[in-house]
Amino acid sequence: MTEIILNAVSFLLTILLAFFLKKMGVLRQTDGERVSKIIISATLPATIIVGINGFKITSTVLVLMSLGLIFNVFLIFMGYLLGKNKSTIERGFYMFNIGGYNLGNFAIPFVSGLFPQVIPFIAMFDIGNSFMVAGTTQAIVETASHQKKHGFDLRDPLRILLKSPPFIVYLFMFILALLKIKIPTVYLMPFSFVSKANSFLSLFMIGLFMQITFKKDGLAILGRVLAYRYLLATFLVGLVYFIFPFEHQIKLVLMLILYTPISFLTTIQATQFGVDEGQAGFASSLSMFISLTLMSAIVLLI
């Protein structure tokens, strides 16, 4: 229990450290973009390689990949229903922020120090999740709102994903797993060294991007969106725990995933759609603290 609490506190302190350094003028939000490039190009791919190496492909793994898509589609649909009688922008805010999971920069760092053996399961779920947050969610929201700024083209999210180093590594390691090829441990040493920086840099980046700027008249909408997001997450957690026929470890992974924060990509897409930038950024930032609390509670209880 002490280890779990200290892990959560370390998460929080790292995020707050970056946020206060930004507020003091030592760092700027643009530095977060530089840190993000290091994570995407180096530390996260290295973490994925180390975490997935030697992983065996089973039917459960394929189910997890499918659930990455299914859960996102379900939550987007619920966002549409809950915002059906709202304005176009508010309904879009619901749809973008009720679904979408921040796995690479939050879930993987969270489990790295506690349960590194579950990283492959998170990675498999993230393949389906990435396809949604890379552009498919945006296409669905625009189509439902009759605002086809980009239009739906299956090639768009695929182009984005195939330019993403973490996703390329996902596919590469997935192919190795299919071929039952395991990289010898001695060759993993450089990747292991680089991967050790991933958790700190990911959390530090979150702190640099964190926003606490919002319009007072938008607080009620923000509160409803976050309430719906986590109530629906709790509903899905209940299904996973009581209904899904998975082993305990897989259930734990799914429950943690379902409580992860709003994806950075859907936050960006929401602002492109017309949602106030401060409101979208604050929703994403606040979801970090809610998710950290709930994920820690899941580990403590389950």
Side-chain angles (χ1 to χ4, degrees):
M1 180 181 291
T2 302
E3 183 182 0
I4 295 167
I5 294 173
L6 288 175
N7 185 66
V9 170
S10 299
F11 256 58
L12 182 60
L13 290 177
T14 304
I15 293 171
L16 292 178
L17 172 64
F19 178 73
F20 286 122
L21 286 175
K22 181 180 71 172
K23 286 297 180 182
M24 291 169 62
V26 177
L27 296 170
R28 294 175 294 179
Q29 187 162 321
T30 52
D31 294 319
E33 296 171 6
R34 296 186 179 94
V35 175
S36 175
K37 290 178 181 178
I38 296 172
I39 294 167
I40 291 172
S41 303
T43 63
L44 182 55
T47 301
I48 294 168
I49 290 171
V50 173
I52 299 183
N53 186 46
F55 187 59
K56 296 179 180 178
I57 301 297
T58 64
S59 58
T60 300
V61 168
L62 299 177
V63 170
L64 287 174
M65 292 173 62
S66 301
L67 289 178
L69 283 167
I70 294 168
F71 284 168
N72 268 281
V73 171
F74 168 72
L75 292 172
I76 294 168
F77 177 68
M78 291 303 299
Y80 176 80
L81 290 181
L82 292 167
K84 191 172 183 180
N85 297 321
K86 310 294 182 183
S87 68
T88 300
I89 298 300
E90 186 174 343
R91 183 171 62 247
F93 189 46
Y94 277 52
M95 295 174 73
F96 276 118
N97 291 294
I98 287 177
Y101 302 102
N102 188 342
L103 301 183
N105 296 125
F106 201 92
I108 290 179
F110 183 87
V111 304
S112 292
L114 297 172
F115 317 107
Q117 70 274 15
V118 306
I119 290 177
F121 299 116
I122 296 176
M124 292 304 104
F125 185 97
D126 199 23
I127 290 176
N129 175 66
S130 296
F131 179 75
M132 294 300 297
V133 300
T136 307
T137 296
Q138 185 173 23
I140 293 172
V141 175
E142 290 180 355
T143 300
S145 303
H146 306 290
Q147 292 189 11
K148 296 185 180 181
K149 299 178 182 178
H150 301 86
F152 182 76
D153 188 337
L154 184 62
R155 292 171 294 180
D156 289 340
L158 290 176
R159 286 192 193 103
I160 294 171
L161 292 174
L162 291 175
K163 292 179 182 178
S164 166
F167 192 79
I168 296 290
V169 172
Y170 279 148
L171 293 183
F172 176 71
M173 297 305 293
F174 183 76
I175 292 170
L176 290 186
L178 282 175
L179 298 174
K180 299 181 180 180
I181 298 174
K182 182 178 180 180
I183 302 172
T185 304
V186 65
Y187 296 126
L188 287 180
M189 291 182 65
F191 298 106
S192 297
F193 179 77
V194 174
S195 70
K196 290 176 182 176
N198 187 66
S199 294
F200 175 77
L201 289 179
S202 295
L203 298 171
F204 202 80
M205 179 196 69
I206 288 170
L208 290 175
F209 281 134
M210 190 167 68
Q211 295 185 45
I212 308 181
T213 55
F214 54 88
K215 296 178 180 178
K216 290 183 179 180
D217 57 358
L219 279 178
I221 298 172
L222 188 150
R224 285 196 296 271
V225 167
L226 290 177
Y228 287 138
R229 178 182 175 89
Y230 289 102
L231 284 172
L232 287 167
T234 301
F235 167 73
L236 291 175
V237 163
L239 286 182
V240 167
Y241 188 75
F242 293 107
I243 306 296
F244 282 27
F246 293 137
E247 60 181 82
H248 178 78
Q249 191 176 66
I250 302 298
K251 287 186 176 184
L252 175 62
V253 169
L254 281 172
M255 291 163 76
L256 290 175
I257 285 172
L258 290 167
Y259 278 137
T260 47
I262 297 168
S263 167
F264 283 143
L265 285 175
T266 52
T267 298
I268 293 169
Q269 292 162 9
T271 60
Q272 292 174 345
F273 184 74
V275 174
D276 178 73
E277 184 177 346
Q279 187 179 40
F282 186 49
S284 177
S285 300
L286 191 55
S287 74
M288 303 285 178
F289 296 102
I290 298 172
S291 292
L292 180 58
T293 302
L294 293 173
M295 291 169 73
S296 299
I298 286 290
V299 175
L300 284 169
L301 295 172
I302 306 300

